[in-house]
Amino acid sequence: MTRSVGLLLVPDFSMMAFSAAVEPLRAANDFTGTAAFNWAIFSADDAPVVASNGITITPTHKRRASPELNYLFVCSGKSVADYRDEGVFRWLRQLAHRRISIGSVSTGAFILARSGLLDGYRCTIHWESLPAFREEFPKAHATRSVYEIDRDRCTCSGGTAAVDLMLKLITDDLGVDTALGVAQQFQHDRMRTSDDKQGNARDAIVNFQSPRLAAAISLMYANIETPVTPNRIAASVGLSLRQLERLFHKYCDSTPQRYYLALRLEHARRLLLETNMSILSASIAAGFASQSHFTKCYRTHFQRTPKQERSQFFGKGAGPVVTH
């Protein structure tokens, strides 16, 4: 039986994530010599869509005349903070009502959540966007997994994680031998599962160099909104403050205080660019007691104010609808 997969492309979508979703399906057809999968490409207005790398993709079908689908995946990129297309949200809810499995690649989980389709569901998104996503959608159970399949919702963390999600779908439909054959075609050494967690290169290097330093940084990540003191962090990982300071100096060329402040400011920046939170709300979510202190620290760290950050990213007169 042929399985039909739809992909809704949002302007500035990630070409990497899009290719990682489609190519395993094409390879599965080649491997089996059958039309095991077909795919349809959509856009919100049925017009061609420009990816983040400037390449334009033309939809294969009109959204209101879509073929019967088994899956529909939303593929977007970094510019999702101001995405508020109620027509698309209604369409996604209609598809979900027809018991079509709804999913996302890259930052598409933002759009699913704004459609009300992830409340009470386990889901995932790229680790950089995870804090902003959790702030905006507390009813969704966002994890750090490479991908998540919860009932009829399928989300992945972006990049090559879409390959792993598609390999799971191929395994379920065509068997593990076919999935392994597809993985080998792409030099994909290991099929990751939903038990595999996302990481980033910095975390991996720090963990290898000093597990206690990695534990201290993890504690900082877990306490962004309510920062803890360096003394408490040191005690929690079994070090003296002096020992903790030496580790940060050796491996991070920083002090614990400066490193922690940078994490909080990076968190605030993601909230400003990926949500419609006000500057005041973003500052509170990053653990700052006053907006003026937040603005001062932000300007020192990024050489621009939070307001300038939004203006530069979205352009003059553009950007998310900010609620105060």
Side-chain angles (χ1 to χ4, degrees):
M1 182 179 67
T2 299
R3 308 287 282 176
S4 295
V5 179
L7 294 110
L8 173 67
L9 303 185
V10 174
D12 203 33
F13 69 93
S14 164
M15 183 63 76
M16 177 70 177
F18 170 65
S19 299
V22 173
E23 282 299 293
L25 307 180
R26 189 271 309 162
N29 289 351
D30 290 347
F31 188 85
T32 61
T34 66
F37 294 95
N38 60 36
W39 46 93
I41 300 171
F42 304 94
S43 69
D45 57 1
D46 302 329
V49 190
V50 181
S52 59
N53 62 5
I55 295 176
T56 299
I57 299 293
T58 300
T60 60
H61 294 75
K62 295 186 181 298
R63 185 163 57 84
R64 297 189 182 279
S66 64
E68 288 298 317
L69 299 172
N70 299 104
Y71 299 93
L72 188 283
F73 291 93
V74 178
C75 182
S76 56
K78 289 188 175 182
S79 302
V80 294
D82 59 342
Y83 192 88
R84 299 290 190 281
D85 191 322
E86 293 297 333
V88 166
F89 296 163
R90 283 194 301 273
W91 184 58
L92 292 174
R93 289 193 292 268
Q94 290 167 0
L95 294 180
H97 185 70
R98 287 160 47 188
R99 300 194 179 280
I100 293 169
S101 292
I102 305 294
S104 65
V105 295
S106 193
T107 59
F110 275 102
I111 295 172
L112 297 191
R114 290 185 187 130
S115 304
L117 296 178
L118 291 180
D119 289 357
Y121 280 85
R122 197 173 62 253
C123 61
T124 190
I125 196 167
H126 193 278
W127 63 268
E128 284 188 321
S129 299
L130 190 57
F133 185 88
R134 285 173 171 167
E135 287 282 348
E136 188 174 351
F137 308 108
K139 293 183 180 180
H141 304 311
T143 76
R144 206 177 171 107
S145 296
V146 171
Y147 67 82
E148 288 282 5
I149 299 177
D150 185 359
R151 291 160 285 175
D152 52 357
R153 300 289 183 270
C154 312
T155 54
C156 71
S157 55
T160 59
V163 173
D164 297 286
L165 176 57
M166 293 304 165
L167 288 174
K168 168 60 176 171
L169 302 184
I170 291 169
T171 298
D172 291 345
D173 286 337
L174 302 176
V176 69
D177 288 343
T178 299
L180 286 171
V182 171
Q184 290 170 358
Q185 285 289 315
F186 295 112
Q187 301 292 333
H188 200 64
D189 296 335
R190 183 175 70 88
M191 293 193 298
R192 293 177 292 180
T193 73
S194 58
D195 292 328
D196 285 287
K197 304 303 178 187
Q198 298 179 64
N200 60 64
R202 181 175 62 183
D203 289 346
I205 292 170
V206 169
N207 190 59
F208 175 76
Q209 292 172 330
S210 173
R212 287 192 178 184
L213 177 59
I217 292 173
S218 294
L219 191 59
M220 291 176 177
Y221 273 117
N223 292 275
I224 294 288
E225 188 168 352
T226 54
V228 295
T229 65
N231 277 313
R232 182 179 166 189
I233 293 172
S236 297
V237 299
L239 296 171
S240 68
L241 179 58
R242 183 64 62 85
Q243 289 171 323
L244 183 67
E245 289 173 339
R246 281 200 292 264
L247 286 177
F248 269 95
H249 178 73
K250 180 177 180 180
Y251 293 113
C252 303
D253 193 26
S254 181
T255 66
Q257 293 91 334
R258 286 203 306 269
Y259 193 94
Y260 203 174
L261 177 61
L263 289 184
R264 291 162 54 207
L265 290 170
E266 289 167 5
H267 174 74
R269 183 174 186 270
R270 287 192 288 271
L271 295 179
L272 291 172
L273 300 183
E274 297 177 3
T275 76
N276 66 345
M277 293 176 70
S278 67
I279 292 174
L280 176 60
S281 296
S283 70
I284 294 171
F288 289 88
S290 73
Q291 185 173 331
S292 60
H293 179 55
F294 167 64
T295 299
K296 180 181 178 181
C297 293
Y298 200 99
R299 183 192 292 114
T300 300
H301 189 74
F302 293 113
Q303 286 76 58
R304 53 191 175 274
T305 66
K307 186 176 181 180
Q308 289 169 338
E309 182 78 85
R310 271 187 161 156
S311 297
Q312 290 179 19
F313 187 81
F314 293 106
K316 187 177 180 180
V321 178
V322 178
T323 55
H324 293 274

